[in-house]
Amino acid sequence: MVEMTERKKGILKAVINEYILTAEPIGSRTISKKYELDVSSATIRNEMADLEELGYLQQPHTSAGRIPSDKGYRFYVDSLIDVEKIPENFEEMIRQKYLERKKEVQNIIQVTSQMLSQLTRYTALVASPSSTEYYFQHLQLVPLEGKKIIVIVVISSGLVQHQTLTLQHRPSREELANISRLINDRLQGLPLGKIGSEVFRELEKEIKNHSIFKELYRSLLTVLTQEELSQEWGKIHLGGATNILEQPEFSDLEKVKVFLKLFEQEDILRQLLNKIPAQGLQVVIGRENPLEEMKDCSLVVADYSIQDTRVGKMAILGPTRMNYPKVIAAVNFMAEVLSKVMREED
Amino acid sequence: MVEMTERKKGILKAVINEYILTAEPIGSRTISKKYELDVSSATIRNEMADLEELGYLQQPHTSAGRIPSDKGYRFYVDSLIDVEKIPENFEEMIRQKYLERKKEVQNIIQVTSQMLSQLTRYTALVASPSSTEYYFQHLQLVPLEGKKIIVIVVISSGLVQHQTLTLQHRPSREELANISRLINDRLQGLPLGKIGSEVFRELEKEIKNHSIFKELYRSLLTVLTQEELSQEWGKIHLGGATNILEQPEFSDLEKVKVFLKLFEQEDILRQLLNKIPAQGLQVVIGRENPLEEMKDCSLVVADYSIQDTRVGKMAILGPTRMNYPKVIAAVNFMAEVLSKVMREED
DNA sequence: TCTTAGCACTCCCCGGGCTAGAGTGCTAAG
DNA sequence: CTTAGCACTCTAGCCCGGGGAGTGCTAAGA
């Protein structure tokens, strides 16, 4: 019966570190030379054969070096990894980047995805905040030409949703002012999740004399309902989508196609992130992934918060042979910085 | 001295049509067989040699068939092409698609790029309206928590720009109402192009007692200045970016990389479209292209209008060997439909 | 003078076979 | 238990030659 020993762990770690760098199968000679383990290549060979038997390593073919298996990576991530440190001054630099853009949520998210992909050289996915924790702040009805009005809803932390609407007749300014005052009084401060048809029914009683309300109703509901909001909110920003092309494992055009097609379908990406129960930091390796297409990929996911409430996720997508120490550090770091920045926003 | 004849034109057209279909060099036999020109392959060979001398065709190497040169495509597009017809019922289908989404400008543009890429199986670029022809409609200042307010500007045809702003002190509701009324009175109906620092200076005199104005000033200017607006307005929507991968000329991964990188840089795409003086429909072939990277590509560009004013452009990007009859028809068609839909919006 | 059949020639593509090199597993000795 | 040595295996890269597609030229026919 083969068992795990400290030396085996050292060798496994060495193999994975080396493989992360080179993307080539690693032979016993390389290990015994580069890492001072003070044993000969023959010994390493024996140990590697054991590690293969244990399922941590595998051979692409006889007479080639070893590469890590998913199980090997898993063990590495769980027990062997030395997470990198992010240089002190990076936070300042990134804050600078945030300041350069208007402090709008969508911009912040976009900057985040860019930074994350630059930091890691992989592809970053960042989901904008999507949460029942948002609350209604202000409704504004602005008349346009003719019978059209624009419905603007301001939600906490500066999120704005708007929609144009054509009414049956041209509304007067007072009419609009009245109705928006009524609605504002009733809804102000309510969490979006609690705004349902009951609230509207109550409202309808109060303002049933305004025929506009019925027309507004549908519009408001769509603007406020999560599904509609999620168009903008759960929105996934991709950063460095083409970075994945730089990885040697994607030198095959067919594979690349599959991925880029995936990237074009936002809803799939959204589902992907949602399926992963990120609390803190989570690493999903190879076939652990919910999508078959991603069997050669890993995801490093973290969530970020506004005021201690988890509202969104971010992830790095890269090949299974990913620089985990670096990526884990980067994702952790960005999640923290983003959470801080979001808090300051409020 | 070799001269162009009707028969040469026929052969050139046949070669290009065939090459568009197969992406392989075309031999004389193929032409004499598939197209009933009633001459033997030997005659075709002579004619093709002439066409090569004239610069319309070229040979990848001796003893291969001919492929069209940029000049050949140019002649084809200018003089030989039979533009395809778009089926009658397509317009209805596309209108349906428009209706499915909220009738917001950004959504309309997105749908347009999707449709265009589906229609052609190439990559579509659609620039959102960007124009001095837009005019100011309404300003709204909404207080958020603390010292923050949100500045919302509604521009003609329902475009909305907004930005959050932190003031020196917490503003009162009346203060905000007053100042926005003053600004609205002054700016209402002004074309954005005419809103410059002079207007603001005048305004400043009127409302100098409101200390808020100075703080607002910068914010308003950025919201209203084109450069800032162009963030959203000149915004390029890509449709079917990965379609370009389906083309055999992009089976080389290096080429693909160049393109996908390009697609990630919106400003470059914007410049690209701006450099092309699209009035009606324009075809840019191969090296005629302003970007070196695109020497193997063609662009078919058209502009679209709102109320007879050209406000934006759309384009199809594909390999030089592109199905011009189809693409030209599609771009023309979508530009027209979009112009119609935009008009109905107002 | 233009067209066409015939033919020799050119060049690419593709598959087979061969070699060099890297890495292994096994054995036997330290 | 470790290690040196060795035979073995497998791949990547290279060269080579044949088949095929297509050409240009020539000379004969309309």
Side-chain angles (χ1 to χ4, degrees), chain A residues 20 61 95 135 155 168 173 177 180 184 240 263 340:
Chain A
I20 283 173
H61 51 264
R95 276 173 182 276
Y135 54 90
I155 296 141
Q168 303 284 351
R173 267 182 191 277
S180 55
N184 274 320
F263 289 165
K340 276 194 220 163

Side-chain angles (χ1 to χ4, degrees), chain A residues 324-343:
Chain A
Y324 293 97
K326 190 177 181 182
V327 171
I328 289 175
V331 172
N332 244 335
F333 174 74
M334 282 304 295
E336 246 168 65
V337 174
L338 181 58
S339 296
K340 276 194 220 163
V341 170
M342 290 291 236
R343 168 166 326 198

Side-chain angles (χ1 to χ4, degrees), chain B residues 16-211:
Chain B
I16 296 184
N17 280 335
E18 196 63 20
Y19 187 63
I20 283 174
L21 290 177
T22 62
E24 307 261 306
I26 310 300
S28 52
R29 255 171 70 89
T30 318
I31 298 296
S32 78
K33 269 192 180 171
K34 274 213 185 173
Y35 296 76
E36 59 296 306
L37 292 165
D38 294 323
V39 282
S40 76
S41 65
T43 310
I44 308 269
R45 270 204 289 288
N46 288 326
E47 295 285 59
M48 279 167 106
D50 288 351
L51 283 167
E52 185 169 355
E53 200 179 321
L54 287 167
Y56 295 118
L57 293 180
Q58 58 194 54
Q59 264 181 312
H61 51 264
T62 14
S63 89
R66 303 307 209 286
I67 62 173
S69 66
D70 285 4
K71 189 178 169 189
Y73 284 119
R74 170 53 61 202
F75 190 80
Y76 174 78
V77 167
D78 290 344
S79 316
L80 303 175
I81 205 168
D82 301 319
V83 174
E84 245 178 47
K85 277 213 72 139
I86 301 278
E88 301 274 329
N89 55 338
F90 263 52
E91 179 160 347
E92 205 32 58
M93 204 194 75
I94 285 170
R95 277 174 183 275
Q96 209 52 45
K97 283 273 174 195
Y98 279 129
L99 284 176
E100 278 170 23
R101 300 289 223 98
K102 290 187 296 178
K103 275 202 171 186
E104 300 267 320
V105 175
Q106 291 304 316
N107 281 324
I108 288 179
I109 297 300
Q110 205 177 333
V111 170
T112 307
S113 73
Q114 282 169 11
M115 288 290 97
L116 202 48
S117 72
Q118 273 178 34
L119 230 49
T120 59
R121 311 255 104 224
Y122 297 108
T123 301
L125 313 175
V126 184
S128 353
S130 101
S131 161
T132 48
E133 298 301 320
Y134 278 99
Y135 54 91
F136 181 95
Q137 200 154 42
H138 188 82
L139 167 78
Q140 189 70 37
L141 302 175
V142 180
L144 300 178
E145 324 90 326
K147 299 169 184 170
K148 306 183 81 181
I149 63 170
I150 181 160
V151 182
I152 299 173
V153 176
V154 182
I155 296 141
S156 46
S157 63
L159 272 171
V160 175
Q161 290 280 313
H162 56 85
Q163 184 171 23
T164 49
L165 193 66
T166 308
L167 300 174
Q168 302 286 349
H169 66 276
R170 186 183 172 84
S172 71
R173 266 183 192 277
E174 305 90 73
E175 202 172 9
L176 289 181
N178 278 333
I179 200 162
S180 55
R181 187 170 36 76
L182 281 167
I183 293 175
N184 274 320
D185 287 351
R186 182 68 186 82
L187 298 185
Q188 194 129 52
L190 276 186
L192 291 191
K194 296 214 172 146
I195 301 180
S197 36
E198 323 86 58
V199 180
F200 281 109
R201 234 169 285 132
E202 284 179 44
L203 261 172
E204 200 172 4
K205 280 178 205 158
E206 289 183 47
I207 24 182
K208 54 177 173 266
N209 45 332
H210 288 286
S211 70

